[in-house]
Amino acid sequence: SDYTRRLAGLPVPGARCHTVFTADPALRRELHTQKQLVLSSVRDTHTPQQVPAGGRLPDAVQSKYFCLNPLDDASKPSTVRFCGHLTYVYKALSREDAYAYTLRRVDGFRTSNFDLVQTSVETWTKHVKPHPSIVPLRQAFVTQDFPESKLTGGSLVYVYDYIPNAHTMQSVHLSGEHAAGVSERLLWCYITQLVLGLRHIHASNRAARVVDPTKILISYRNRIRLNCVGLLDALRQNPARSAADYRQQDINSLGRLVLALSFGSIAVLSDIPSALARMCRKQHYSSELKEFVQSILQPKGGKVPTIFELSEHISGRFMGELERCMQLGDSLEDELKREIDNGRFVRLQAKINTICERSDLLANTIWAESGDRYVVKLFRDYVYHQVDESNKPVLDMGHIVDCLNKVDVGTLERVMLMSRDGSSVMIVTYADIRRCIEQAFAELVAVSSKAALPM
């Protein structure tokens, strides 16, 4: 190992730090943040004196969803702009599967029209297959668990998957007074994902109706998801309009969204011809992007292209996104390999620690200090308790990982083990150490199994 080479005065192949064996720091921070958000409760975000928007929270909803935590921006009042009703959003955990979900509560909905909701939910859950660009709709129900709901006959609640650490496109790009336009590379990243999602929905003869910056979520690595699908199908149903009309509205909303993002402001949509003219004068946007927006908002012949025609026109842009996804897949696979190694190390260390320093086993007070167990103890000291010539501890993650790897696979490389006082010295292979660990642990398992049997 590197340790023995260093003591012998031989050159070490290269110093290894612990970051080589752990996940990417940025990915680890993101996953840690996501886990924190999943487990957070209202006590983490509100003081006892603060009343969340929408009133006090129940301990559980439908006896299934608990640990509710408001997700609405407390600095902004609730509006009825989107669906014609006041809505409140909560993160909740499920007692059935321990996953986190988003509960979107709708106040003021006439529960006598719940059959429209059931039809919409059934369509989205059974006839529209899951897609990476769409937040899945799980169910909807009417409940009186919220204190304010008892006064109105109940609140309608839609249940979606919870996307931790996601933010609306409105808050990310369109909330500042002096916001800058989005770069073209990022715009194409967003466009391709939105087109994929809309193409999937339109292929099922449905319409998204949520191509709105307040209903599009942006999460880690610029992932885009359409949120709140199916909600307007019941809350804002217009018999005079067909599904084809709503699909055309999706396309128009996509063009308006890209135009707003290019300026970093929703205000430009008040005069679309002027905004398009100004966008066409921007030198840092390609003609392809300008033509994409113009084909939607100022189509030639007055015919708005379908989502399938749009996807064909920008097919070249999908190649770049495909390459990015493949690179991301490779990097995540590398991270997975590291975590698989970590899992192997945890199992191996768990076995070693259950064997070493055990006071007795079946009245055998020297069990841990004799036979195969003594070899395991010496190996434990060799791995974790190394010291240099000045008796200072040697902390070499490379040495630790190197030894654990060799024991786990059982190599025939020889290693010298020595007791702390130097009275015992033995030369064994890593395969011998592995056999000693497995046999000693098997003894513990056998004794433990017998003890668990009823008398």
Side-chain angles (χ1 to χ4, degrees), residues 24-60:
D24 174 68
L27 178 61
R28 182 178 293 275
R29 284 193 300 270
E30 172 64 22
L31 296 180
H32 181 70
T33 300
Q34 291 184 14
K35 193 65 175 179
Q36 281 184 316
L37 293 172
V38 167
L39 299 178
S40 65
S41 68
V42 67
R43 295 179 180 178
D44 300 312
T45 57
H46 293 71
T47 64
Q49 293 74 29
Q50 286 181 307
V51 178
R56 296 288 180 183
L57 301 180
D59 293 331

Side-chain angles (χ1 to χ4, degrees), residues 4 21 41 62 76 195 205 221 255 263 266 291 293 321 334 371 373 392 400 403 408 420-421:
T4 55
F21 312 103
S41 68
Q62 295 290 92
K76 298 179 180 179
V195 168
N205 293 322
R221 298 184 193 270
F263 288 94
I266 291 289
E291 291 172 1
V293 179
E321 291 305 308
D334 290 339
R373 286 79 60 191
K392 295 180 180 178
I400 295 174
C403 293
D408 190 58
R420 296 181 182 181
D421 59 5

Side-chain angles (χ1 to χ4, degrees), residues 25 101 150-151 156 185 240 249 253 267 291 347 380 398 421 423:
Y101 293 92
K150 297 177 182 179
L151 304 175
L156 174 64
R185 183 181 179 279
Q249 180 183 326
S253 298
E291 291 172 1
R347 288 192 296 271
R380 189 273 312 271
D421 59 5
S423 60

